[in-house]
């Protein structure tokens, strides 16, 4: 059986498509960040607002650290979550004004945090629960549009659109067998294999 793309649409995803845009390609780092700051175990990285942003566990805290294209640290670490997370279960996605960080705790709560400058926000009463894999899928050509949070709960993959303030919208069921990590954004919708 040959895998073929699936077209997933939810809510306002079918809004009018704009003309073709040329994506902004971030500069390639001049060196590995581990050569600059030894011992930082990065869980996720994204290009946001002219710099690389890495999510790094430091003890029981998740922190954001910024690096320029030469691998040099910019500013201080920004703590975003003071709770232990499952190993490797962290995603980061750029928005028009900062980044979104999604992390699954050891109890299965999927926390989504919006980080803009020195401000870290989490939408109240917006907890999501996962008992499997998840992925936060950004829209690189349109960072002002909601990111897609694909996650597994009780064997079913679900989609929630995440506003730039970190608030998840209502869940929508995805086709059976869809893997959250096999999804990408394309124009006004998402594609999966």
């Amino acid at each position: 059986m040959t895998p073929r793309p699936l077209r997933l649409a939810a809510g306002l995803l079918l809004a009018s498509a704009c003309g073709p845009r040329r994506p902004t390609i971030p500069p390639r780092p001049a060196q590995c960040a581990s050569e600059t700051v030894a011992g930082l175990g990065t869980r996720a990285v994204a290009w946001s607002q002219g710099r690389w942003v890495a999510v790094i566990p430091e003890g029981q805290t998740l922190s954001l650290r910024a690096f320029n294209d030469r691998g040099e640290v910019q500013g201080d670490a920004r703590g975003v979550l003071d709770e232990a997370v499952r190993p490797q279960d962290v995603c980061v996605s750029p928005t028009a004004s900062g980044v979104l960080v999604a992390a699954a705790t050891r109890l299965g709560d999927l926390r989504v945090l919006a980080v803009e400058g020195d401000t870290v926000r989490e939408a109240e009463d917006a907890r999501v629960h996962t008992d499997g894999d998840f992925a936060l899928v950004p829209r690189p050509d349109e960072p002002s549009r909601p990111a897609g949070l694909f996650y597994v709960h009780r064997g079913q993959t679900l989609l929630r659109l995440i506003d730039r303030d970190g608030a998840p919208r209502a869940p929508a069921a995805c086709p059976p067998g869809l893997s959250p990590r096999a999804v990408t954004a394309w124009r006004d919708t998402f594609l999966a294999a």
Side-chain angles (χ1 to χ4, degrees), residues 75-144:
D76 297 325
R78 165 76 43 218
V80 293
L81 182 63
D82 288 326
E83 188 172 351
V85 299
R86 296 188 317 205
Q88 307 306 319
D89 277 357
V90 177
C91 296
V92 62
S93 171
T95 66
S97 54
V99 295
L100 293 172
V101 175
T105 69
R106 292 189 177 153
L107 297 177
D109 287 328
L110 192 47
R111 308 279 299 273
V112 180
L113 306 131
V115 183
E116 294 181 9
D118 292 339
T119 305
V120 179
R121 290 189 314 269
E122 182 177 17
E124 293 184 24
D125 301 325
R127 292 285 174 101
V128 176
H129 189 79
T130 182
D131 50 18
D133 206 1
F134 73 94
L136 186 59
V137 182
R139 297 177 181 268
D141 293 339
E142 192 66 51
S144 62

Side-chain angles (χ1 to χ4, degrees), residues 26-33 45 47 52 67-72:
R28 180 179 174 185
Q31 60 184 354
C32 180
V45 67
W47 176 256
W52 292 102
F67 301 86
N68 64 23
D69 61 349
R70 293 180 305 281
E72 299 165 341

